[in-house]
Amino acid sequence: MSFSVRKIDEEKGRGIFADCKIQKKDTIFEEDPFVSCQFSWNKLYKYMACDYCMKSLETAEEMCRRLSNDPDIELPLHMFPQPIDIVVCDGCQEVYCSVECRDLAAKLYHHLLCRANGLIDIDGLNQLDQTWREMHYPPETATINIIVRLIAMYKQADDKEEFSQILNEFCRNTTNEACPSISHQLLGDQFADKLVVLREQVVQLIGDEGLHEAGEFLNCEGAALYKLQSKCNHSCKPNAEIRFDHGTHRLTLKAIEDIEADEEICISYLNECQLESGRHTRQKILMENYLFFCDCPWCEAQSLDPDITSEEEDSSEESDMSDSSSIEMYRRIDNI
């Protein structure tokens, strides 16, 4: 193994470090998630995927027909993949890509959530999903069903204490001790009623055993939780990136730069457009979404830059433009 998890300090916690030199493009590790779940809107619009590993169960032609709402579309012969085998749950007809995935799902969470077993209120489950969709329109970044699945996993777990310890590793503070007035953007007053409604429906549906508070909100912003990848810290000049090369929920961490022994392996929590923004804008996004100020070498190098956001920089530049068509083009590029 070319890396190890090491304690950095109390404020930053742990990080992943190279134990030897890692070459650019090398695979650092691959990991299956602790839990994953398909997005609600994605499933509503009939994107067929394995309930356990999220592997697509559609051929390219089937996907084209669904997305275009045209059942007569035919793709060139060379674009046809091998036929996809589909395995179903005998009780509720939930779909899987293999017997292995079906059996793992039943062992971990699906026995409780299977509609045929009568252990859960089906109408309540549908209502919770509908409530979530009404609050969270596409593009999706999370799903309430991952919380339901976590509680089901807890209830089916043989060792509930061990399960809770693993889950607690994902919990973060919802306010920043260095700046107590700043809390996660999903904790604003405009979301307060929505969070109460969602929690009440979850408790009514599946009970509150195993449902503990993490500050005021369990920060679950993805469709999956990864025990190892969650130890990767952020840098605005990352030396590694996350990829999904297997067409499933399996994650691959690849080096995008040469990494020396004992160097920390960092990814970016920001997208490419955000990384191109100025330091102050990046810091603002990171604080609003992840509750920390970045002190990576790139941010330190820009520490003397003006404390204005990219929007303010744009306004300043636009005020100096006399050609209105140039102004409009600049705004469009900025929005992209």
Side-chain angles (χ1 to χ4, degrees):
M1 193 163 61
S2 60
F3 66 90
S4 59
V5 177
R6 306 178 193 176
K7 178 72 174 290
I8 299 175
D9 54 42
E10 291 299 327
E11 181 179 352
K12 200 168 184 178
R14 289 172 290 184
I16 297 180
F17 290 79
D19 289 338
C20 59
K21 184 170 183 177
I22 299 174
Q23 301 290 334
K24 182 178 180 180
K25 297 184 179 181
D26 281 356
T27 294
I28 301 171
F29 64 76
E30 293 188 333
E31 180 183 17
D32 289 331
F34 179 62
V35 62
S36 65
C37 189
Q38 186 179 6
F39 285 141
S40 295
W41 282 99
N42 194 257
K43 192 165 188 173
L44 179 69
Y45 284 104
K46 309 300 182 184
Y47 183 93
M48 187 179 292
C50 176
D51 182 63
Y52 179 75
C53 76
M54 294 193 291
K55 178 181 179 180
S56 176
L57 299 178
E58 292 182 309
T59 64
E61 187 169 79
E62 289 169 339
M63 189 177 298
C64 287
R65 290 175 175 178
R66 175 177 58 83
L67 293 173
S68 65
N69 198 27
D70 183 353
D72 298 322
I73 285 182
E74 294 185 3
L75 297 183
L77 183 62
H78 70 276
M79 295 186 67
F80 277 88
Q82 293 296 320
I84 298 174
D85 294 326
I86 297 177
V87 178
V88 300
C89 168
D90 294 334
C92 67
Q93 304 303 300
E94 185 63 81
V95 295
Y96 300 91
C97 68
S98 65
V99 172
E100 180 184 13
C101 278
R102 183 191 64 186
D103 292 348
L104 280 170
K107 179 181 179 181
L108 292 174
Y109 61 83
H110 190 65
H111 176 72
L112 178 64
L113 298 181
C114 180
R115 299 164 187 261
N117 290 339
L119 301 177
I120 193 168
D121 178 6
I122 303 304
D123 291 337
L125 189 63
N126 291 336
Q127 180 60 52
L128 177 64
D129 196 46
Q130 180 179 336
T131 300
W132 172 261
R133 292 197 308 270
E134 291 173 351
M135 295 178 179
H136 196 93
Y137 293 98
E140 297 176 271
T141 57
T143 172
I144 191 64
N145 289 316
I146 205 168
I147 303 298
V148 175
R149 189 163 292 188
L150 280 167
I151 298 173
M153 290 172 65
Y154 174 84
K155 288 177 176 289
Q156 290 191 207
D158 294 329
D159 189 335
K160 291 180 170 54
E161 183 177 352
E162 180 185 14
F163 180 92
S164 296
Q165 289 175 350
I166 294 173
L167 187 58
N168 284 335
E169 293 183 10
F170 294 101
C171 298
R172 308 297 295 178
N173 291 332
T174 54
T175 58
N176 191 300
E177 283 74 9
C179 192
S181 63
I182 300 178
S183 60
H184 193 281
Q185 62 177 351
L186 292 182
L187 296 177
D189 293 339
Q190 68 270 35
F191 291 102
D193 293 340
K194 296 180 179 181
L195 294 177
V196 170
V197 170
L198 287 171
R199 192 183 196 284
E200 289 177 349
Q201 288 192 14
V202 169
V203 171
Q204 184 177 6
L205 175 67
I206 203 168
D208 59 1
E209 181 186 7
L211 183 64
H212 306 294
E213 299 290 347
E216 298 176 55
F217 181 62
L218 181 58
N219 185 8
C220 176
E221 295 187 345
L225 297 176
Y226 295 86
K227 290 187 286 186
L228 185 56
Q229 179 271 329
S230 67
K231 309 297 189 300
C232 289
N233 288 312
H234 165 84
S235 173
C236 295
K237 287 291 185 182
N239 52 21
E241 67 177 6
I242 294 169
R243 298 175 56 174
F244 293 89
D245 294 334
H246 299 279
T248 69
H249 62 190
R250 172 165 288 189
L251 171 152
T252 301
L253 186 69
K254 278 190 173 290
I256 57 175
E257 302 289 347
D258 290 340
I259 304 173
E260 299 298 327
D262 295 322
E263 182 181 350
E264 185 175 7
I265 300 170
C266 293
I267 60 175
S268 173
Y269 297 175
L270 305 176
N271 61 41
E272 291 184 9
C273 291
Q274 291 168 339
L275 282 176
E276 294 298 322
S277 301
R279 173 180 178 273
H280 190 64
T281 297
R282 300 197 306 271
Q283 297 282 16
K284 182 175 182 289
I285 295 171
L286 289 168
M287 177 54 71
E288 288 177 349
N289 290 276
Y290 300 100
L291 302 177
F292 70 88
F293 288 114
C294 181
D295 60 356
C296 73
W298 183 239
C299 284
E300 291 296 311
Q302 296 179 326
S303 60
L304 298 180
D305 289 357
D307 284 342
I308 57 176
T309 64
S310 293
E311 289 83 358
E312 292 169 325
E313 292 171 349
D314 295 345
S315 298
S316 175
E317 291 184 27
E318 288 172 9
S319 66
D320 294 333
M321 292 182 180
S322 57
D323 187 345
S324 60
S325 63
S326 297
I327 294 176
E328 183 61 26
M329 180 61 72
Y330 181 89
R331 287 173 175 164
R332 290 182 181 179
I333 293 174
D334 184 61
N335 288 334
I336 293 172

